[in-house]
Amino acid sequence: MFEAQLPRAQVLKQTMDAIKDLIKEAVWDVSSQGLSLQSMDSSHVSLVQVTLKTEGFELFRCDKNLALGVNMDTMQKLLKCANNDDNVKLTADDNGDLLTMAFESPNGEVTSEYEMKLMDLDIEQLGIPEQEYSCTIKMPSKEFQGICRDLQNIGENVRLTVVKGGVDFSAQGDIGHAKIHLTESATVDDEMDAITVDIQEPVNLNFALRYLNFFTKATPLSRQVTIQISPDVPMVVGYEIEGLGHVKYFLAPKIENEDDE
Amino acid sequence: MGIKGLMKLIGDEAPSCVKEGEMKNYFGRKIAVDASMCLYQFLIAVRQDGAQLTNEAGEITSHLSGMFYRTVRMIENGLKPVYVFDGKPPEMKSHELKKRAEGREKAKDELEEAKETGTAQEIDKQERRLVKVTKDHVRDAKKVLELLGVPYVEALSNLIEHSSILSKDSLCFKTPVLLRRLTMPESRKLPVQELHYEKIMSVLGLTHAQFVDLCILMGCDYVPNIKGIGPKKAFELIKKHDNIETILQNIDLEKYKVVDDWQYKDARRLFVEPEVYKNIDPPKWKSPDIEGMIEFMCVKNGFNEERIRSGLKRLEKSKGKINQGRMDDFFKISKVVSTSKPTPKKDAKRKAGKQKGNTAKKLKR
């Protein structure tokens, strides 16, 4: 038997919004640690990894590790039926093929229950090694969302150039060129609003904006986004869900100077 | 080319090994393409009002059109094609080539007959059977590839290690991943099929040696097969007797006629130790030579300049796709999470589950 309860449905709704455009179906791994999910998008360019820790739930019970195959669109649609401040409870039987989502309004007057059929899926999961990154950038998530949105009007790719004290986001396209420069915040009132650039060595990499604009769907989950990059490895775009876990995206960089003249 | 009935056998005995997908899923992958097979297909299929395309001088240009547009489409989808031309065929293959030549002679006779008595349809059919890839066709095709900046090699080589091959008998050469129907016309909307050598072997429960013998029994290009033994029978026999030698000792040679001097051992050697060119340079993809292409395709061979230019433009645009890295090149697959329960009718159940997956019940609100 698996049971998990959250006081507010909003965070689950936002989590589903953050991943359903990138992946069609995925497997939720349920263990005593909590809920987690990892999946590549169909083109194998990016990967999303979600962790919702046991401690973040109001109630969490997991008698046996489960793998729940879910159609993302369906789960998002059903969760949408909950109001943001509804209490939500997920349940699944150990050998069942249903995931039940029960919602209860804050005053307890309205309760609703949705049963979702689970799917049989085989999902390839990648082993992601722990690693140190050359650059770690923290900035307000809305700022990052705006940059990705604006640059998409110019070109397909964004070039990230990280140097001490700042970051350049630039894009090149048929209509012209754009460059957005962020300087590390001098004084900080609220850490979540600050721009910080932690740098071991300068990095200059190119990424497809299309995917970054999928990632920024997670913006409502967190005021701050953490971007980690190193030469020639996938970048990491992470959103902390306060007290509950995180949504992390990985994006393979553009490969340059190979096979080209 | 290919092993007769192999796909059907795999489809029957190991359906789980055939993965279907779209061409664009293979972006960034190096794909070896059987050039001779493509040329045959183009010469047969690329036609206008039933006749092959020709330039002003009356020379056939069907293969040029096919080569150009098909390659553009692959690159557009982010694939990195390498064309593989048959070098000189191994001597063993002469058996198949002889058969083809005979077939062509026959078709020629029948064409003459059809011209006198038959319908237009009949004439068309016989004409298509007469198609032969000549040295000139190969030379022109290579020219198109050079102008497109797409590499090609002569004969199978160490490329196999890195890429996928489009011809079916390449499974016998342990091609790790084989793609089928990759180059089907877009209009036919058939999914690309992906076959993994290792997986097929493990599901069929065969060793490489057994698989090679199976292919020889089923009929390859190198030697004729045994009359009366089809794919299914061949599979049963290999499962039971392990190799051709033991099979020959155990089957009724009166019932199943084996040709005199059946050189299955030589065929086996060709599969196990193919004539491989070592130490060739890794293939390189370059930018297309636009003006050179216009000169060759439009001025010399009468293709519409606007259409060729727009094809080349699509090529230019797709550059970004080729450079996109793949997640699975950076991180290795650690495990496959499967939610399916071990039931005997696994495949049937999966289908049902998918269809029902979108319905959900609203109980009360």
Side-chain angles (χ1 to χ4, degrees), chain B residues 245-258:
Chain B
E245 281 81 356
T246 329
I247 290 171
L248 289 178
Q249 286 163 19
N250 283 288
I251 55 171
D252 181 357
L253 292 174
E254 286 296 307
K255 196 171 152 200
Y256 301 108
K257 282 260 183 305
V258 180

Side-chain angles (χ1 to χ4, degrees), chain B residues 189-296:
Chain B
K189 294 241 174 352
L190 287 170
V192 176
Q193 292 183 327
E194 182 179 327
L195 305 169
H196 287 257
Y197 170 79
E198 296 283 343
K199 205 169 166 192
I200 292 170
M201 291 307 108
S202 78
V203 173
L204 291 180
L206 296 176
T207 62
H208 182 63
Q210 286 174 328
F211 184 65
V212 166
D213 277 11
L214 172 67
C215 290
I216 294 171
L217 283 173
M218 286 169 69
C220 59
D221 289 351
Y222 300 138
V223 289
N225 59 338
I226 304 174
K227 290 252 148 49
I229 295 184
K232 256 212 139 76
K233 183 87 188 161
F235 183 57
E236 280 167 26
L237 286 171
I238 285 289
K239 278 291 212 190
K240 201 167 160 196
H241 300 298
D242 183 54
N243 56 41
I244 292 180
E245 281 81 356
T246 329
I247 290 171
L248 289 178
Q249 286 163 19
N250 283 288
I251 55 171
D252 181 357
L253 292 174
E254 286 296 307
K255 196 171 152 200
Y256 301 108
K257 282 260 183 305
V258 180
V259 289
D260 301 332
D261 189 24
W262 194 39
Q263 295 175 319
Y264 65 89
K265 277 185 184 156
D266 292 312
R268 187 189 285 160
R269 187 176 45 78
L270 279 173
F271 278 127
V272 180
E273 305 159 25
E275 293 162 35
V276 165
Y277 289 78
K278 296 249 163 64
N279 304 325
I280 57 160
D281 292 332
K284 278 230 183 309
W285 287 263
K286 298 189 203 126
S287 296
D289 175 355
I290 294 176
E291 291 316 312
M293 184 65 87
I294 300 294
E295 163 73 26
F296 182 70

Side-chain angles (χ1 to χ4, degrees), chain A residues 43-45 67 74 81 83 112 114-115 119-123 125-127 232 250 252-255 259 261, chain B residues 27 80 285 287 320 323-325 327-328 330 332-339 350 358 360 362 364-365:
Chain A
S43 64
H44 291 202
V45 172
T74 312
C81 301
N83 290 314
S112 47
Y114 294 79
E115 283 178 353
M119 304 172 70
D120 283 347
L121 296 175
D122 295 308
I123 303 272
Q125 295 204 334
L126 302 182
D232 305 320
F250 295 78
K254 295 275 174 177
I255 300 159
D259 303 332
E261 276 177 304
Chain B
F27 81 88
K80 294 174 169 177
W285 287 263
S287 296
N323 293 339
Q324 175 64 58
M327 206 36 109
D328 35 13
F330 293 100
K332 291 281 158 275
I333 291 170
S334 59
K335 58 174 177 175
V336 176
V337 178
S338 176
T339 59
R350 175 170 310 172
N358 283 327
K362 191 169 180 176
K364 54 174 181 173
R365 169 131 210 177

Side-chain angles (χ1 to χ4, degrees), chain B residues 24-203:
Chain B
K24 64 170 196 245
N25 294 354
Y26 299 99
F27 81 88
R29 292 285 191 232
K30 294 171 188 163
I31 310 279
V33 183
D34 182 339
S36 310
M37 200 173 72
C38 288
L39 285 176
Y40 267 107
Q41 284 175 359
F42 297 144
L43 289 171
I44 290 167
V46 180
R47 280 168 192 248
Q48 205 165 26
D49 306 324
Q52 285 167 317
L53 310 178
T54 52
N55 61 12
E56 272 180 9
E59 292 161 346
I60 291 164
T61 57
S62 285
H63 57 303
L64 301 180
S65 164
M67 211 69 187
F68 179 78
Y69 287 109
R70 193 172 283 189
T71 310
V72 166
R73 194 158 74 88
M74 274 195 264
I75 296 176
E76 226 182 345
N77 278 285
L79 276 56
K80 294 174 169 177
V82 187
Y83 281 84
V84 182
F85 287 89
D86 282 351
K88 71 174 185 356
E91 254 165 55
M92 291 295 296
K93 217 162 180 165
S94 48
H95 147 76
E96 175 66 20
L97 296 177
K98 206 171 105 200
K99 226 168 71 186
R100 273 185 215 163
E102 279 167 12
R104 216 171 279 125
E105 278 305 310
K106 201 171 149 223
K108 213 173 189 173
D109 293 344
E110 279 171 7
L111 174 64
E112 290 306 315
E113 206 184 302
K115 271 187 178 158
E116 280 170 27
T117 58
T119 60
Q121 209 182 354
E122 185 70 14
I123 294 174
D124 186 49
K125 189 178 147 203
Q126 296 303 338
E127 248 175 14
R128 283 175 198 234
R129 279 176 61 187
L130 267 174
V131 165
K132 185 172 187 270
V133 174
T134 65
K135 274 193 186 127
D136 290 344
H137 294 145
V138 171
R139 190 200 57 216
D140 291 350
K142 284 180 181 169
K143 175 97 179 160
V144 172
L145 293 176
E146 277 162 21
L147 292 169
L148 279 170
V150 169
Y152 60 84
V153 293
E154 306 273 347
L156 290 175
S157 62
N158 54 359
L159 267 176
I160 301 177
E161 281 167 34
H162 296 292
S163 53
S164 318
I165 304 249
L166 285 171
S167 161
K168 265 178 281 174
D169 54 7
S170 46
L171 270 182
C172 310
F173 300 119
K174 289 201 192 178
T175 304
V177 185
L178 172 71
L179 304 178
R180 291 187 71 226
R181 297 187 188 154
L182 184 67
T183 52
M184 280 281 171
E186 200 160 17
S187 51
R188 290 189 51 189
K189 294 241 174 352
L190 287 170
V192 176
Q193 292 183 327
E194 182 179 327
L195 305 169
H196 287 257
Y197 170 79
E198 296 283 343
K199 205 169 166 192
I200 292 170
M201 291 307 108
S202 78
V203 173

Side-chain angles (χ1 to χ4, degrees), chain A residues 2 4 6 9-21 23-30 35-37 50 52 57 67-82 88-92 98-103 114-119 121, chain B residues 356-361:
Chain A
F2 154 64
L6 276 173
Q10 187 182 31
V11 65
L12 267 189
K13 290 168 75 169
Q14 288 172 342
T15 305
M16 291 310 295
D17 289 343
I19 53 181
K20 64 127 179 138
D21 289 335
I23 48 176
K24 279 199 205 103
E25 31 200 53
V27 174
W28 283 104
D29 284 316
V30 185
L35 281 170
S36 66
L37 173 153
V50 182
L52 306 175
F57 289 88
L68 309 173
V70 166
N71 177 305
M72 290 292 130
D73 240 8
T74 312
M75 187 163 174
Q76 189 252 0
K77 259 187 213 138
L78 297 189
L79 277 168
K80 253 189 161 165
C81 301
V88 57
K89 187 173 175 185
L90 308 175
T91 41
L98 288 175
L99 175 68
T100 308
M101 293 178 258
F103 311 131
Y114 294 79
E115 283 178 353
M116 180 174 68
K117 292 230 168 67
L118 295 173
M119 304 172 70
L121 296 175
Chain B
K356 287 181 212 152
N358 283 327
T359 54
K361 242 187 212 162

